[in-house]
Amino acid sequence: MAEIAVTVTESGEAYVALVVGDPPEVRDSVALDALDAADTIPALDGLVLDFDHYGRVVGLRVTGSANSILAPSLLDGADVT
């Protein structure tokens, strides 16, 4: 079973790698704060999806407070940098 790698910075931001092994080059990133649902789901203001060359989702950047956006179970196993 694949494990999700989560890295949290001292500033409270985080990265959730959705690939196993070396991360691929990120070709495009899409911030989710522009979605209409961001008005009702505050976490969307702090999320950015990263896509590889083939358009596959390879990571999730948390640009806001990871404690407010990610589930505690993901943060419990996170690496802190």
Side-chain angles (χ1 to χ4, degrees), residues 15 19 22-28 50-56 58:
Y15 192 78
V19 295
D22 294 331
E25 179 180 338
V26 172
R27 167 69 63 97
D28 293 300
D50 287 340
F51 296 88
D52 69 5
H53 175 75
Y54 300 103
R56 297 177 293 209
V58 296

Side-chain angles (χ1 to χ4, degrees), residues 13-39:
E13 296 180 345
Y15 192 78
V16 181
L18 300 176
V19 295
V20 177
D22 294 331
E25 179 180 338
V26 172
R27 167 69 63 97
D28 293 300
S29 296
V30 177
L32 301 183
D33 60 349
L35 296 174
D36 290 337
D39 293 336

